[in-house]
Amino acid sequence: MNVGRWGITEMKREENWVVEARDVSYTYEGNKEKALDGLNLKIHRGAKVAFMGGNGSGKSTFFLCLNGIRRPDKGKIFIDGSPVEYTRKNLLKVRGKVGIVFQEPDDQLFSASVYEEISFGILNLGADEQTARREVEGVIEELEITPFQDRPAHALSGGQKKQVAIADILVMHPEVMILDEPAAALDPKHTRAVQQIVERLTEKGITVLMATHDIDYAYSWADEIVVMHEGKVLCQGAPCDVCSDQETLEKAGLEMPAVLKLYDRMKKKGLVPDWGVPPKSVEELIKII
């Protein structure tokens, strides 16, 4: 990508793509407008990628195509360099590699108990009962689900349901984890808990794709930000460059992160030095001051 206003260019990495979309289009039945319209993008293995854009920009539809839930009308999705094929055998393989946590956890939780819920996916992939038990108990402990593992999923709080939905996928050891608005409708306490879980995922080397409307969080968390608009990628790049591109942000209905606004104003008034790379958070800005 071009050099941004902060003088930051896209990091050169070995071309190790875990996800690629080539000219992907999709239209929902009964709609005239395309939900995806010739979408092209690539995602590096192990990256933390925030997907941003208004409602209807195509984020969720792309995620559904990536997991094989929706089949593109045109174009191809590639996982680990191999095209997604829509046979039962191949889709099972894809869903073992690419897990998705929906915005509404009730859309994916259906088992009688939390333990059974988390067991379902790994057993469906063909694991024997002993292996499944070991893996399920491990993820239950890791995500601190033990206190409510025997309760019915429908009786949990929103934050607890989100934990279980993430555990559903994590137990299958995916290469890619998709989180569609993971903090939606959560209180601050459970939002922090989910964010801590996300950090654990990235520490494991899992590629995390997250749709979010919180540009402050996306700016501080992501390696890359993808801005979508009308079913296409409007912009993809380093958070500092994407979040300082006023024209792109305005087109997508987004605002510059608060810390960037503050840092820019303070620089202009001579209150802070120009460090070249802007701070990622208010805490970093305070250190500069």
Side-chain angles (χ1 to χ4, degrees):
M1 82 181 260
N2 295 329
V3 177
R5 66 179 288 198
W6 304 107
I8 297 173
T9 56
E10 183 179 17
M11 185 184 300
K12 290 185 177 180
R13 312 187 211 182
E14 180 184 353
E15 290 196 357
N16 187 11
W17 313 113
V18 67
V19 169
E20 182 178 1
R22 295 182 191 170
D23 197 29
V24 172
S25 294
Y26 183 83
T27 304
Y28 287 97
E29 186 176 354
N31 289 4
K32 293 182 179 180
E33 300 294 328
K34 293 181 179 180
L36 296 176
D37 187 8
L39 177 75
N40 290 284
L41 63 80
K42 296 179 180 180
I43 303 294
H44 283 103
R45 188 180 309 279
K48 300 183 292 185
V49 185
F51 282 73
M52 307 201 73
N55 293 334
S57 61
K59 304 185 299 298
S60 295
T61 303
F62 170 63
F63 289 164
L64 294 174
C65 288
L66 185 56
N67 184 254
I69 296 172
R70 297 285 179 181
R71 181 173 184 170
D73 304 324
K74 178 185 175 185
K76 282 281 188 180
I77 299 283
F78 294 82
I79 308 295
D80 279 336
S82 299
V84 175
E85 303 295 343
Y86 295 87
T87 63
R88 186 180 184 281
K89 181 179 179 181
N90 187 254
L91 287 177
L92 194 63
K93 182 179 178 182
V94 167
R95 289 166 188 166
K97 289 185 174 185
V98 181
I100 183 168
V101 177
F102 297 109
Q103 181 174 341
E104 296 292 340
D106 286 330
D107 291 342
Q108 70 187 86
L109 303 180
F110 58 87
S111 296
S113 73
V114 167
Y115 191 96
E116 291 176 2
E117 176 66 43
I118 299 171
S119 302
F120 177 81
I122 190 169
L123 289 171
N124 195 44
L125 288 179
D128 60 72
E129 289 194 14
Q130 184 177 358
T131 299
R133 186 182 307 112
R134 182 177 65 250
E135 295 290 345
V136 170
E137 290 175 353
V139 79
I140 281 176
E141 181 178 356
E142 181 181 357
L143 299 191
E144 301 176 357
I145 291 171
T146 305
F148 51 88
Q149 65 175 336
D150 297 321
R151 292 172 59 186
H154 72 265
L156 303 179
S157 70
Q160 291 170 335
K161 288 178 180 179
K162 195 76 74 169
Q163 286 175 267
V164 174
I166 293 173
D168 272 1
I169 307 304
L170 189 57
V171 74
M172 294 185 284
H173 298 287
E175 294 181 34
V176 179
M177 177 78 91
I178 298 170
L179 301 166
D180 196 352
E181 294 288 347
L186 297 186
D187 60 30
K189 175 185 175 182
H190 285 103
T191 296
R192 287 192 297 273
V194 170
Q195 289 173 349
Q196 288 169 358
I197 292 171
V198 171
E199 288 304 319
R200 294 180 202 171
L201 300 179
T202 60
E203 288 169 4
K204 292 174 180 288
I206 297 173
T207 306
V208 179
L209 312 184
M210 180 193 297
T212 178
H213 289 291
D214 186 344
I215 196 165
D216 294 298
Y217 178 67
Y219 172 70
S220 65
W221 170 79
D223 296 320
E224 282 194 328
I225 293 178
V226 176
V227 179
M228 294 187 64
H229 182 65
E230 296 181 349
K232 297 180 180 180
V233 173
L234 192 59
C235 183
Q236 178 179 1
C240 290
D241 286 336
V242 173
C243 290
S244 61
D245 185 340
Q246 288 277 24
E247 184 178 346
T248 295
L249 295 179
E250 287 176 9
K251 190 170 184 179
L254 301 170
E255 291 189 3
M256 184 182 290
V259 68
L260 272 185
K261 287 182 183 177
L262 183 57
Y263 178 64
D264 204 23
R265 290 172 185 171
M266 293 180 76
K267 272 200 317 173
K268 288 176 181 177
K269 293 182 178 181
L271 299 176
V272 294
D274 186 349
W275 286 78
V277 178
K280 281 275 195 172
S281 65
V282 173
E283 289 75 16
E284 285 188 20
L285 180 57
I286 291 172
K287 290 180 181 178
I288 293 174
I289 298 171

